[in-house]
Amino acid sequence: MQFKLSLLTGSLLAALALTGCGNDSSSSVTPSETFTIKAIDGYLVNAEVKVDADGDASNGCELPLGTTTAGGEFNLPIKYQNNQVCIAAIEDKTIDEDRGIVATAFDLAAPAGSSVVTPMTNLVVEVMAANNELTAETAQAEVIKTLTDSGLTITAEQAFGDFIKDPSIEAKKISIIAESLTDNNDKTLVQQLEITSKVTSQIKDKDDSTLEDFSPEITITGNEVTVKPNHRPTITKPLKIADVELNAVITDIDLNTYFKDKDSDALTYDIKVKNAKNETIDLDNLGLTQTNSILSGTAKIAGIFTLYISANDSKVNSHALTSSLTVTTPNTAPTVNNEVEATLQQQLKDLMLTQGENITNANIAITDLFNDVDGDELTITATTTDNGIVAKINTNNELVLTGTPTKQGELTLTLTATDGINDQAATATFVTTVLEAITPPPPEVTHPLVGRTWYVIEEGTNGDQFSQTWCDSVRFDNGSIYFNDRTIANRNKCSDAATIGGSYEIVEGTIEVQFDDSALAYNVVSDMNISLPNTQVVTLTEGEDTERYTYFEKQSDAEKRLNIASNGAPEVRDIPAILPAMNEDRYQRAMYSVQMSNDGQMNKVALWLDSDTGFSCDNANEFYRNFVLSSATFNDSNGIPGMCNNVTEDEMTNAVINFTIPSDFKLDENYSLIGYVNDSDNALLEHIKLNLIWKGEANQE
């Protein structure tokens, strides 16, 4: 869909509504080779960073680079400064430094060159996607116009910059709009623009005091967006939870004393927990329960935990109240016996795992791999980086590997031991190499079309207004298909197939060719009862359409059909052909005989369809929908139609297609004679494709 730039903001809502249009480190390169970007709703930590490295907007940002760190920062390699950047906030992994652990995944993007990725830059990218004629600058201007038309005084630097760092009242208003867009990230562009407009109208006249904690209630029904005033619950004081020992009772915490709501709404609470390794764990596993506003429980796991507590007024969540809980214990976490680990590493290498081969006799004792000075019963789990391999620990305390390695190269096996008391686990990591499978080479696939150049007569416009006949060349070689670059010279002469047009593979006798945006299938017709010398009859299929062609081994055989001179002897003007045999469901050898004539008053062309068993006009009409003669002289896109007449000689009737030319023949002019086969017979019979040349006189023999 295309939109005029001047109308985008005013009409984009209406137009789209009618149509329904919708590594764990930041970088491994040095700072001098990077520039810093920020992912912002609040600052987003542990969000995945991707870039559109191939410049193809249709597949989005396809190259992952890493994850953001504190402050939402990521050091982007300088070579991607002119590429679109995308941020993926991941459920239960990404942390919004204002709003806590992300509960629902969402994606944000920014145009090339942006130093921030925010809901506002994402709106710019979506506007650009709706109208690919817009640049980043003009799309930004359209978003700014949406804001200013709704009453907000704002600059591009404020709207598309770090609005958290910016202390201005305008930046605070952008922050409210941005959070509203994030909460509705899955909505259509129509709805997001309407949200932007209506939220802006709500906050345009507010000052610092009335803007504080403002978070509008947004309801969407279809494309109807309703925005009502509302304030988010706010944190009244910090929460400090005293350190406790394992199995100790945690003093009840009344969350109502840590939050308030300006609108006097009743509050509910959501609590998420991360351990020291940034893993999300269940509140129950920690030993805590939440009943209404009361948080209580008995510590069941030792370690350091971070609690993210949010209050909800049934419309929006508060920003997260963050608190730390440290559970201590004299109990010691399990550890790894390094000597046993080294021995197991060698035993794993000795297994000589091979890609594609079933693993047998792979039981390795892991006794004494893990130590626990407290004598706690350990739970040991095993994982591998190859989905084809299953790793388990059996009752004999053995590591058992089963399955089939799916890929060669490095394989990582990880064993983890937990004591059920400490959050900290003991981890032993083993690395080995999966050997490449030794497989016999596949049998050589042969095909009669592969390995040589073929010449074929084609009809088409090549940019002109009328259909003409040409010689095209094709060659299948080492997985690539080659064509000639068609020029005007190919009207009369074939050329080499020297340009790669795509790749192919042979599947059950069919050559399947893949181009950038299409696919073709070539099949040799092997069940014909008759054929022409030095040829292959080929069907070419694209989608649901199949057409038949004759492929010539000899260039001269193809060129004969493109150089039928008016004064040529019969052997020049008689072209070997194949036509359906009318007395049975077979084919017969036939002849296209062509004559050109000029008696001083009329210019005529005659095409004889000669066969030994006869081929009448009734037969011609059964298989051909029309016959056309075209030329640059009369340059009619429809060409001159031919009329069929029966000629009977020696009790044999054959069809003659006659053309009457409205103007004199032009010396050395090319006249394309094309007989179009009915669509239903395209796969069974080839179009007639000939090229006649007027030489100033005619041979009537």
Side-chain angles (χ1 to χ4, degrees):
M1 182 178 296
Q2 301 294 319
F3 300 97
K4 292 185 178 179
L5 175 59
S6 61
L7 300 179
L8 181 60
T9 301
S11 64
L12 182 58
L13 290 172
L16 289 176
L18 288 173
T19 57
C21 301
N23 308 324
D24 295 329
S25 61
S26 63
S27 179
S28 61
V29 294
T30 62
S32 62
E33 299 171 319
T34 67
F35 73 102
T36 301
I37 62 169
K38 289 186 178 182
I40 305 174
D41 177 42
Y43 293 129
L44 298 172
V45 183
N46 293 330
E48 186 176 24
V49 181
K50 298 181 181 180
V51 295
D52 180 14
D54 62 7
D56 182 0
S58 65
N59 64 0
C61 293
E62 80 291 348
L63 178 63
L65 296 178
T67 54
T68 56
T69 57
E73 292 190 352
F74 183 82
N75 293 325
L76 192 72
I78 199 74
K79 66 179 180 178
Y80 297 122
Q81 188 167 11
N82 294 320
N83 298 77
Q84 179 176 302
V85 182
C86 300
I87 298 294
I90 303 168
E91 180 179 344
D92 288 338
K93 177 181 178 183
T94 300
I95 298 174
D96 183 321
E97 291 187 354
D98 286 337
R99 301 208 272 178
I101 299 173
V102 170
T104 303
F106 61 88
D107 297 311
L108 300 174
S114 297
S115 60
V116 296
V117 184
T118 75
M120 301 306 295
T121 65
N122 188 68
L123 194 57
V124 171
V125 171
E126 292 199 20
V127 170
M128 293 172 67
N131 182 356
N132 56 21
E133 293 181 355
L134 296 181
T135 64
E137 291 74 17
T138 53
Q140 285 179 351
E142 296 299 332
V143 174
I144 291 293
K145 191 172 188 300
T146 299
L147 298 171
T148 56
D149 284 350
S150 301
L152 190 63
T153 302
I154 196 76
T155 66
E157 289 74 17
Q158 292 168 324
F160 308 114
D162 185 348
F163 47 76
I164 295 179
K165 181 179 179 182
D166 186 343
S168 69
I169 185 69
E170 291 80 9
K172 293 178 182 178
K173 293 176 180 179
I174 289 296
S175 180
I176 292 173
I177 296 169
E179 286 193 357
S180 299
L181 290 173
T182 297
D183 293 339
N184 294 276
N185 182 262
D186 60 337
K187 303 301 187 294
T188 67
L189 177 56
V190 173
Q191 295 165 334
Q192 291 191 50
L193 287 170
E194 186 73 1
I195 289 169
T196 301
S197 177
K198 290 190 174 181
V199 172
T200 301
S201 297
Q202 288 271 344
I203 64 177
K204 62 180 180 179
D205 298 323
K206 292 185 180 294
D207 57 20
D208 275 326
S209 60
T210 57
L211 197 66
E212 183 178 4
D213 305 323
F214 186 79
S215 182
E217 176 187 1
I218 298 172
T219 305
I220 299 176
T221 305
N223 281 330
E224 180 64 31
V225 176
T226 303
V227 178
K228 297 180 180 179
N230 182 62
H231 295 84
R232 73 171 67 254
T234 57
I235 300 168
T236 60
K237 60 183 178 180
L239 170 60
K240 181 172 176 58
I241 305 175
D243 295 351
V244 296
E245 291 186 355
L246 186 69
N247 298 319
V249 175
I250 298 172
T251 303
D252 288 359
I253 299 169
D254 186 354
L255 299 177
N256 281 337
T257 64
Y258 293 90
F259 293 89
K260 67 177 181 179
D261 187 84
K262 186 179 292 187
D263 304 315
S264 300
D265 293 324
L267 301 179
T268 58
Y269 298 95
D270 179 70
I271 304 174
K272 293 186 180 296
V273 182
K274 293 271 190 181
N275 62 14
K277 293 185 287 186
N278 197 39
E279 298 169 334
T280 300
I281 64 172
D282 291 336
L283 199 63
D284 290 345
N285 291 344
L286 184 55
L288 300 182
T289 59
Q290 176 204 335
T291 305
N292 298 323
S293 66
I294 304 301
L295 178 64
S296 60
T298 301
K300 292 165 55 177
I301 306 175
I304 300 175
F305 308 93
T306 303
L307 279 65
Y308 298 87
I309 306 170
S310 298
N312 186 277
D313 63 358
S314 80
K315 306 172 188 72
V316 296
N317 283 334
S318 69
H319 287 175
L321 171 63
T322 305
S323 184
S324 176
L325 171 62
T326 300
V327 181
T328 61
T329 177
N331 186 288
T332 303
T335 59
V336 176
N337 184 324
N338 293 330
E339 291 185 4
V340 175
E341 183 181 28
T343 300
L344 295 181
Q345 172 68 74
Q346 185 58 52
Q347 288 179 305
L348 184 63
K349 287 185 176 181
D350 291 343
L351 290 177
M352 302 290 286
L353 301 178
T354 302
Q355 177 189 12
E357 293 186 6
N358 289 333
I359 300 173
T360 57
N361 301 319
N363 290 30
I364 301 175
I366 59 170
T367 305
D368 299 329
L369 173 61
F370 297 107
N371 299 322
D372 189 275
V373 297
D374 305 295
D376 298 322
E377 182 178 351
L378 301 181
T379 300
I380 303 174
T381 57
T383 59
T384 78
T385 54
D386 191 323
N387 293 332
I389 301 175
V390 177
K392 293 184 178 180
I393 309 301
N394 66 15
T395 55
N396 295 325
N397 210 23
E398 293 176 320
L399 168 66
V400 181
L401 299 180
T402 57
T404 304
T406 61
K407 54 189 176 182
Q408 69 178 91
E410 185 176 281
L411 168 70
T412 301
L413 172 68
T414 303
L415 301 184
T416 303
T418 57
D419 62 4
I421 298 172
N422 292 275
D423 181 57
Q424 182 181 353
T427 301
T429 302
F430 306 94
V431 178
T432 189
T433 299
V434 175
L435 303 176
E436 181 180 6
I438 301 176
T439 56
E444 183 180 358
V445 179
T446 59
H447 194 280
L449 296 183
V450 171
R452 66 178 306 144
T453 299
W454 295 91
Y455 306 97
V456 57
I457 307 302
E458 183 60 281
E459 60 87 18
T461 64
N462 206 40
D464 294 312
Q465 294 182 355
F466 59 97
S467 291
Q468 307 171 70
T469 51
W470 310 84
C471 180
D472 283 342
S473 305
V474 62
R475 186 174 86 255
F476 302 94
D477 202 356
N478 292 323
S480 295
I481 183 172
Y482 297 81
F483 298 103
N484 64 305
D485 292 321
R486 188 190 286 177
T487 67
I488 193 65
N490 294 129
R491 289 295 314 276
N492 306 105
K493 187 174 179 60
C494 302
S495 55
D496 290 338
T499 300
I500 294 180
S503 60
Y504 74 86
E505 60 178 346
I506 301 172
V507 180
E508 296 182 354
T510 297
I511 298 181
E512 296 184 354
V513 177
Q514 185 65 49
F515 302 99
D516 291 339
D517 56 358
S518 63
L520 297 175
Y522 292 77
N523 277 294
V524 172
V525 180
S526 58
D527 59 351
M528 294 192 63
N529 60 293
I530 194 169
S531 63
L532 298 179
N534 306 312
T535 65
Q536 292 284 356
V537 177
V538 176
T539 57
L540 179 57
T541 300
E542 182 176 12
E544 296 181 357
D545 298 326
T546 299
E547 194 166 339
R548 180 170 290 212
Y549 291 90
T550 300
Y551 277 33
F552 297 96
E553 294 183 17
K554 295 182 178 180
Q555 182 174 336
S556 59
D557 289 343
E559 290 177 350
K560 179 177 182 180
R561 287 153 174 79
L562 298 175
N563 293 277
I564 304 174
S566 63
N567 60 352
E571 59 268 21
V572 173
R573 295 180 289 106
D574 291 344
I575 306 299
I578 292 178
L579 290 173
M582 303 316 301
N583 56 352
E584 55 184 320
D585 188 19
R586 294 167 66 84
Y587 293 90
Q588 61 178 325
R589 191 182 298 274
M591 192 77 67
Y592 302 144
S593 298
V594 182
Q595 290 182 350
M596 302 180 74
S597 62
N598 180 351
D599 60 7
Q601 294 181 350
M602 298 288 289
N603 299 280
K604 294 183 178 181
V605 171
L607 168 66
W608 295 69
L609 303 181
D610 289 334
S611 72
D612 292 340
T613 62
F615 197 83
S616 68
C617 287
D618 287 342
N619 306 142
N621 292 333
E622 179 181 350
F623 290 98
Y624 297 94
R625 70 174 186 267
N626 63 324
F627 297 86
V628 173
L629 190 72
S630 63
S631 168
T633 299
F634 32 88
N635 196 16
D636 184 339
S637 59
N638 295 317
I640 294 175
M643 302 296 293
C644 189
N645 299 102
N646 285 322
V647 175
T648 302
E649 294 181 355
D650 299 328
E651 298 183 354
M652 188 65 62
T653 300
N654 284 298
V656 180
I657 314 300
N658 293 296
F659 302 86
T660 301
I661 315 304
S663 58
D664 289 341
F665 287 127
K666 184 177 179 181
L667 186 63
D668 292 329
E669 176 67 271
N670 288 278
Y671 295 86
S672 293
L673 197 163
I674 306 170
Y676 291 100
V677 175
N678 290 323
D679 291 344
S680 59
D681 295 318
N682 272 347
L684 303 175
L685 186 63
E686 184 176 6
H687 298 315
I688 297 172
K689 293 165 286 191
L690 305 171
N691 190 57
L692 289 57
I693 305 173
W694 178 248
K695 291 298 184 180
E697 58 181 358
N699 187 331
Q700 299 298 312
E701 294 183 17

